[in-house]
Amino acid sequence: MVEDIKTAPPPAGAWAPAEVSDWRPQPRTPLARFLGGSPVHVFLRLLVLSLLVGALLMWLDIRPYDIIEGVVRFAHRIWALGFGAIRQVGDYILAGAIIVVPVWFISRLLSSRS
């Protein structure tokens, strides 16, 4: 019985809330759909947000060059760690191959005789 009340349509003339997505018009052009709004509004939002974030970064004494330099240093460290790890794995393979390959070769020679 409670389920009937929930699914029943509202009486005629009663106020029914609209869906949240109904109030906002959908962007019409592909560019506006891609940007999430008109290009002018998106530009103004990005401009204000950039101003606020820039003021915060300057207040913290973080300059744009410091950020770029930090990203480049981080990329160099990752690059060095990556190839160092690959080099170490290669050393392990080479050390194991010194034992495994001769044993395999001898076992192949012995199995081919019989």
Side-chain angles (χ1 to χ4, degrees), residues 79-92:
W79 183 273
L81 286 175
F83 284 111
I86 291 171
R87 192 175 313 118
Q88 192 172 16
V89 169
D91 290 345
Y92 289 163

Side-chain angles (χ1 to χ4, degrees), residues 24-38:
R24 190 173 188 177
Q26 295 296 322
R28 295 183 186 141
T29 65
L31 178 64
R33 277 197 304 268
F34 174 74
L35 293 175
S38 74

Side-chain angles (χ1 to χ4, degrees), residues 68-112:
I68 294 170
E69 185 180 310
V71 169
V72 169
R73 254 185 291 137
F74 177 72
H76 282 201
R77 286 182 189 163
I78 295 297
W79 183 273
L81 286 175
F83 284 111
I86 291 171
R87 192 175 313 118
Q88 192 172 16
V89 169
D91 290 345
Y92 289 163
I93 291 172
L94 187 60
I98 289 173
I99 303 295
V100 171
V101 172
V103 169
W104 170 80
F105 185 69
I106 292 171
S107 69
R108 293 302 296 165
L109 285 176
L110 293 176
S111 68
S112 68

Side-chain angles (χ1 to χ4, degrees), residues 19-59:
E19 290 185 26
V20 175
S21 63
D22 287 346
W23 69 272
R24 190 173 188 177
Q26 295 296 322
R28 295 183 186 141
T29 65
L31 178 64
R33 277 197 304 268
F34 174 74
L35 293 175
S38 74
V40 174
H41 288 126
V42 172
F43 175 76
L44 290 175
R45 273 189 268 150
L46 290 174
L47 183 71
V48 170
L49 189 60
S50 296
L51 178 67
L52 293 173
V53 171
L56 176 69
L57 290 175
M58 291 297 165
W59 182 67

